[in-house]
Amino acid sequence: MTARLSMRTRRSPVRIKSPFNVLIGVLSVCAGIALWQYAASELTSSLLFPGPVKVAKALSSRSGLDLIGALGTTLKRVALGFALGSAVGATTGILAGNVKWLRTLVEPYVHFLRSIATLAWAGPALIWFGIGNITTEFLIFYSTVFIVLLNSIVGVTSIDEQRIQMARSFGATRLDVFLQIVLPGSFGYVLSGMRLAMSFSVATAISAEMLFGTNGVGYVIYESRLYFNFETIFAGLVILGVTGLVLDKIFTGVQFGLFARYRQGR
Amino acid sequence: MTTSRSHATIGILRKLRRVAITVVAFALSLVGLCFAWSLAAISFDAQNLFPGPLASLARFGELMANGELLIASLYSLMRIFVGFAIGCALGVIAGSLMGMSRIVRAALAPYIHFIRFIPPVAWFAPVLLWVGAGEAGKIILIIDTTVFIVAINTMLGVHAINVDKIRMALAMGATRAQLFLRIILPGAAAYIFTGMRLAMGNSFATIVAAELLASTSGLGFMITNAQNLLEVPTMFAAILMLGILGYISDVVLESLVRRFGGRYLLESKGG
């Protein structure tokens, strides 16, 4: 029995957004939602597993507004820790990428600290800083900084040596090379690192809120389990998914749209 | 050829010198950091709340010796491995299907690109209510953490296989199974292991979070327990263990990536 070549035979990559694909996607989502509704109403007790209709109702009701408010709190938290972590990570990373001895010095520590799950530090941090925003921001900072740092280092080291040599041969000083070649060239990688770190920082914020928070989406979701309020839980999950998707799209837009000319190669 | 031999020797000596300098520099920095750490610990003068490096290592040794640390690690690792194995299997299957069939990809893409943004820990709330605080819940969480990353990376890997290879195999009369096992899987292996490496890091984070929230065993529970007793040395020991385990698993998976396709490394060219 021979297989048929049902895979793409064109040399060009499959376009994700072609109308056919979009149609399949839409149909698939509709089928999924219908299946969800069926499973929720027929297969299990509707108390344990809310269907899409119930979740939509929860989203548009009072608790939905509360959730949006909680989302604002969570995002504000994330924004602070993320900004700090990205700033420190990017600065250190770009410096380390340029200065060889700094990089050799910093890398083993970064790799080791990165291997430690962020939330493990919640234990000591809670004892040292207490239950409050400092601990949460510390955790969010921790989850961001190493990823951005490593990506920044990669960004600097992956700049084509020939470009630097060309600039030097035109009489550029070290500072010129740094400002005109290294910084723009590594910018894409820094953004890429930030995009990666974004989902981690949101996850860390949610975990922290579940563990010891008093507000925010994580807290609301985890609290709702005490009242078996599945509608709110699922509404919260949907909101988290949408938030993550939107944030990711923002980063992609910035990276490939606004700063598209900083992409190396291609 | 005396000249080439001394060239080679000089090269090796140079490399040795570089390595030696790096090792010495690292050792010095480590000593320096430990020194600063000890000073800070002494100035706080609260061994239980901020232990110095010696106290932390001593506690680590203690907990290793009486087996507590190893047992806790085994619990955490067991949960991770079971969930990881199931998640990777599902992910590779789904990813391969998505990679090979445009329709499957278009159909599954909206789910994957939505659900993967929901932090796995958030699912702990409903999962706790559905299956309780036992092993199943944590394993489900790990499956969720793993499956999407591995699926996406597998799909990318399948797409990256040169279509001529597939044509050649088909021209030689390969069956579907042979095509999949001999061409597609090995070809996508580097991407798959990269995905697994990413997923492993996330799994550690998820399992710690889950154990901190609702567990009676494992490294996360060790930390929570120590928190209630205000025993930071134990926490440091658990954290060190987590770092070691995470580092080892990362190195193992990275070596697998290297073995199957060095150019797909996540690190810089400088290594």
Side-chain angles (χ1 to χ4, degrees), chain A residues 8 10 12-18 20-22 24-26 28, chain B residues 94-113 151-152 155-156 158-160:
Chain A
R8 56 184 179 90
R10 294 161 282 158
S12 58
V14 178
R15 285 191 60 237
I16 308 170
K17 292 281 188 231
S18 80
F20 179 68
N21 286 336
V22 172
I24 301 272
V26 167
S28 163
Chain B
S96 316
L97 286 172
M98 286 175 73
M100 293 190 286
S101 158
R102 201 175 140 205
I103 295 183
V104 172
R105 178 185 174 182
L108 289 184
Y111 296 105
I112 291 189
H113 291 302
I152 291 176
M155 181 187 75
L156 288 175
V158 172
H159 272 172

Side-chain angles (χ1 to χ4, degrees), chain B residues 54-64 66 68 231 233-234 237:
Chain B
L54 287 174
S56 309
L57 275 174
R59 191 89 179 104
F60 183 78
E62 233 181 275
L63 289 168
M64 279 294 258
N66 66 16
E68 254 185 76
E231 252 194 45
T234 313

Side-chain angles (χ1 to χ4, degrees), chain A residues 8-9 28 48 109 128 200, chain B residues 29 49 107 111 130 159 167 202:
Chain A
R8 56 184 179 90
T9 53
S28 163
L48 283 179
Y109 294 110
W128 295 333
F200 290 133
Chain B
S29 70
L49 295 183
Y111 296 105
W130 288 330
H159 272 172
R167 285 193 181 126
N202 286 3

Side-chain angles (χ1 to χ4, degrees), chain B residues 2 17 124 211 242 244 250 254 258:
Chain B
T2 342
R17 199 181 79 159
F124 209 36
E211 286 175 357
L242 276 170
I244 294 174
D250 195 54
E254 189 205 330
R258 249 192 245 266

Side-chain angles (χ1 to χ4, degrees), chain A residues 20-207:
Chain A
F20 179 68
N21 286 336
V22 172
L23 180 67
I24 301 272
V26 167
L27 285 176
S28 163
V29 170
C30 290
I33 293 184
L35 197 69
W36 178 11
Q37 179 62 39
Y38 174 73
S41 45
E42 307 296 327
L43 296 181
T44 67
S45 158
S46 65
L47 290 169
L48 283 179
F49 188 57
V53 176
K54 275 201 180 178
V55 175
K57 250 192 257 179
L59 272 171
S60 50
S61 73
R62 173 91 201 285
S63 44
L65 287 172
D66 287 339
L67 268 172
I68 309 268
L71 181 69
T73 318
T74 307
L75 284 179
K76 261 186 276 186
R77 259 190 198 122
V78 170
L80 181 58
F82 181 73
L84 267 169
S86 303
V88 171
T91 324
T92 320
I94 292 180
L95 276 173
N98 272 307
V99 182
K100 189 86 200 292
W101 60 262
L102 186 65
R103 183 180 157 202
T104 348
L105 198 65
V106 156
E107 261 194 339
Y109 294 110
V110 171
H111 279 301
F112 182 71
L113 286 175
R114 186 179 64 100
S115 317
I116 302 174
T118 311
L119 224 68
W121 289 104
L126 281 171
I127 291 187
W128 295 333
F129 311 129
I131 298 180
N133 274 326
I134 302 182
T135 315
T136 324
E137 295 300 343
F138 168 71
L139 291 171
I140 297 176
F141 174 84
Y142 190 92
S143 64
T144 331
V145 74
F146 302 117
I147 300 175
V148 177
L149 207 161
L150 287 172
N151 270 272
S152 307
I153 293 181
V154 172
V156 172
T157 54
S158 71
I159 290 178
D160 198 350
E161 189 63 37
Q162 290 181 340
R163 272 211 204 156
I164 300 181
Q165 285 168 354
M166 173 203 76
R168 292 284 202 88
S169 71
F170 276 117
T173 63
R174 271 229 139 89
L175 187 64
D176 279 331
V177 169
F178 183 71
L179 289 176
Q180 309 262 23
I181 309 243
V182 171
L183 271 189
S186 55
F187 198 56
Y189 284 84
V190 171
L191 275 178
S192 173
M194 284 171 71
R195 178 179 163 204
L196 201 60
M198 184 87 224
S199 47
F200 290 133
S201 50
V202 172
T204 308
I206 300 291
S207 317

Side-chain angles (χ1 to χ4, degrees), chain B residues 41-76:
Chain B
I42 291 174
S43 71
F44 277 116
D45 194 27
Q47 273 298 26
N48 259 3
L49 295 183
F50 191 67
L54 287 174
S56 309
L57 275 174
R59 191 89 179 104
F60 183 78
E62 233 181 275
L63 289 168
M64 279 294 258
N66 66 16
E68 254 185 76
L69 204 52
L70 283 173
I71 294 178
S73 310
L74 276 172
Y75 268 110
S76 300

